[in-house]
Amino acid sequence: MDSSSTYILAIESSCDDTSAAVLCNAKVLSNVIANQEIHTAYGGVVPELASRAHQQNIIPVVQQALLKANIDKKQLKAIAFTRGPGLMGSLLVGSSFAKSFSQGLQIPLIAVNHMQAHILAHFIEEKNRQIPEFPFICLTISGGHTQIVKVSDYFNMEVLGETLDDAVGEAFDKSAKILGLPYPGGPLIDKHAQLGNPKAYMFTKPKVGDLEFSFSGLKTGILRFIQKNVKENEHFIEENLNDICASIQHTIVQILMEKLKNAVKQTGIKQIAIAGGVSANSEIRKVLKESESKYGWETFIPKFEYTTDNAAMIGIAGYLAYLEGRFSEVNTSATARLKVTG
Ligand code: KG4
Ligand code: ZN
């Protein structure tokens, strides 16, 4: 075994995806994700069902991750796990598993902040991929968070602005629900939007501080718009689904881009990254890429599989922590609330 190869097993179980990954230094050898279909029927994540499903999935998912990486557990140097934020019952499954595994193997345990991990996914080593230099701005957009973060070092992050109410992923999912689309609706809005006219309908954008977000008013605006039109034509949604989705998505992406422009203006930093589940969105990816020639920004868009929750991002955060000797005690507790600042 090459002594410069640090193999780390990472576990992610903060919400409704059970995931395990094996990294060799900053390279991902495997990244296995078991999605929990069960929540679709309920129109959202049911915490009790999520933790039960994690219990069922965790051992097979870890076994598969080791198998795919072609690694024996004895080669592992550390176990990284998501400490928080997330659903308590879900976090406890991953953290308890990681603790017992690290105890059994007598190797260090590394507690990872899920929000930092979304951002640190940009440091996963891949062919022909640039990694950002410090400091850079990261727009973290997920189902639970919407933040503009100034990243000064791997574990030195500062929130410049965030949402006052709903997260942007919730705005996508709740809009989808209004349209009768199943959970999680974000990817479906994206899919329909690709066939629609983004300027078909106008929605009012929120008036909040330069680096703040608010999506609850937009959601109410969309609900009223749909109710009004369905009253006049009961087939309004089916007949115009693509245009409605394209217009909602366009409004949300415009809001995100305006805030990013404000952040660049305030900080002078032009290295811009996006992270989190919503960074899978095709329009934000496209518009951000265009901003390179339009505004002279250098942009960092994560590989598709590292956008939504995955253990590879926990693994890279774990590896970077390992290099700094940031290990955790076995009594480190999972925590539902945890800020990106640590
Ligand atoms: O990061 P993530 O997997 O979980 C959290 O930590 O919250 O983000 C999940 C969110 C969901 O709201 C989902 O609808 C949204 O990301 N999402 C998308 C797309 N793919 C996932 N939203 C818009 N367009 C997409 N393509
Ligand atoms: Zn996440």
Side-chain angles (χ1 to χ4, degrees), residues 21-59:
V22 177
L23 272 76
C24 175
N25 302 338
K27 272 197 194 137
V28 177
L29 303 183
S30 64
N31 184 32
V32 178
I33 305 175
N35 302 114
Q36 301 180 1
E37 299 296 332
I38 189 150
H39 306 287
T40 312
Y42 296 89
V45 178
V46 184
E48 169 71 23
L49 297 178
S51 48
R52 279 196 217 180
H54 282 305
Q55 283 277 11
Q56 286 166 353
N57 293 342
I58 193 131
I59 292 177

Side-chain angles (χ1 to χ4, degrees), residues 50-88:
S51 48
R52 279 196 217 180
H54 282 305
Q55 283 277 11
Q56 286 166 353
N57 293 342
I58 193 131
I59 292 177
V61 164
V62 168
Q63 273 172 340
Q64 252 197 63
L66 289 167
L67 206 71
K68 276 199 177 165
N70 201 14
I71 287 294
D72 186 89
K73 57 183 184 302
K74 292 195 187 84
Q75 290 173 271
L76 295 170
K77 292 271 176 63
I79 311 285
F81 71 97
T82 306
R83 179 173 178 227
L87 300 171
M88 199 56 189

Side-chain angles (χ1 to χ4, degrees), residues 12 14-17 85 114-115 118 141-145 167-173 183-191 194 249 275-282 284 304 307-310 313:
E12 153 65 27
S14 65
C15 190
D16 60 338
D17 296 313
H114 180 94
M115 299 310 297
H118 268 302
I141 37 181
S142 73
H145 294 83
V168 62
E170 276 179 282
F172 271 106
D173 296 339
Y183 177 87
L188 294 168
I189 293 207
D190 190 350
K191 193 173 137 222
Q194 289 176 30
Q249 179 171 286
V278 181
S279 66
N281 183 267
S282 60
I284 185 76
F304 196 75
T307 53
T308 47
D309 291 347
N310 65 88
M313 69 185 199

Side-chain angles (χ1 to χ4, degrees), residues 228-242:
K228 180 175 160 277
N229 281 283
V230 167
K231 222 175 189 179
E232 287 162 15
N233 166 15
E234 61 174 315
H235 301 296
F236 177 74
I237 297 177
E238 302 98 275
E239 286 170 8
N240 302 287
L241 187 60
N242 295 339

